[in-house]
Amino acid sequence: MNKGAAGGLGGGAGSGPTAAAAAAAAQKQKTLLQRVEGDIANIVDNFNHLVNVARVNDPPVRNSQEAFMMEMRAARMVQAADSLLKLVSELKQTAIFSGFASLNDHVEERRIEFNQLAEKTDRTLSRVGEEAAASLKGLESHYSSSVQKIIQNPEP
């Protein structure tokens, strides 16, 4: 486990939702690492006790006590392993949901880019329309004056 990875998330850069999200992610990572370490320590500790209790050549009463201790330690190992499995499931869900969050961020960035591009395109089309209208007005004026010249001065 790389415990140093949690320190790079906050970084102290900026504030607002990103900094809050980074701080929350760092805290969640720290909590998850503590859970992993605790569960693994619990499994190792119970396994050591299980091996120590598993002696054979003792009086029958002691054997039944040891059998009970072995069952208890085995049950605790199963509980710790189950806790680790739940932790893995939680990590998978976190990875999926954080993937959705980054996907949503990317979609939002692209939406902003496309909106800016649409505004630029609208401005360009408006400018082209105005230029076309001005050119058309000039052409109409030229046509009108040339038609009037033809009417006034008919050619033989």
Side-chain angles (χ1 to χ4, degrees):
M1 296 283 159
N2 185 2
K3 295 181 184 177
L9 290 175
S15 62
T18 352
Q27 180 61 36
K28 183 164 182 123
Q29 183 179 10
K30 183 178 178 182
T31 302
L32 293 174
L33 285 172
Q34 288 173 345
R35 280 180 55 190
V36 167
E37 290 172 358
D39 288 342
I40 290 175
N42 192 359
I43 289 174
V44 169
D45 183 48
N46 283 307
F47 183 75
N48 284 336
H49 286 309
L50 189 65
V51 170
N52 287 337
V53 170
R55 296 187 196 130
V56 178
N57 296 322
D58 286 335
V61 172
R62 185 164 171 111
N63 278 342
S64 64
Q65 288 174 344
E66 289 175 352
F68 174 73
M69 289 291 288
M70 289 171 59
E71 287 178 25
M72 182 187 69
R73 294 294 179 173
R76 287 184 183 171
M77 285 178 62
V78 169
Q79 288 173 348
D82 185 52
S83 177
L84 281 173
L85 288 174
K86 287 178 184 176
L87 179 66
V88 167
S89 175
E90 187 177 333
L91 287 171
K92 286 179 182 177
Q93 287 177 352
T94 302
I96 289 170
F97 292 137
S98 69
F100 284 143
S102 66
L103 181 62
N104 286 340
D105 290 343
H106 180 69
V107 167
E108 182 64 20
E109 289 171 5
R110 294 293 289 178
R111 187 189 66 78
I112 290 169
E113 287 176 24
F114 287 135
N115 283 342
Q116 291 171 348
L117 185 61
E119 289 173 5
K120 182 180 176 185
T121 304
D122 287 343
R123 286 192 303 269
T124 303
L125 285 174
S126 177
R127 183 178 45 84
V128 167
E130 290 170 359
E131 289 175 4
S135 296
L136 186 58
K137 212 173 225 186
L139 289 172
E140 285 176 350
S141 167
H142 179 68
Y143 177 74
S144 297
S145 66
S146 66
V147 168
Q148 287 176 357
K149 285 180 186 177
I150 293 174
I151 292 174
Q152 290 175 355
N153 299 326
E155 290 182 24

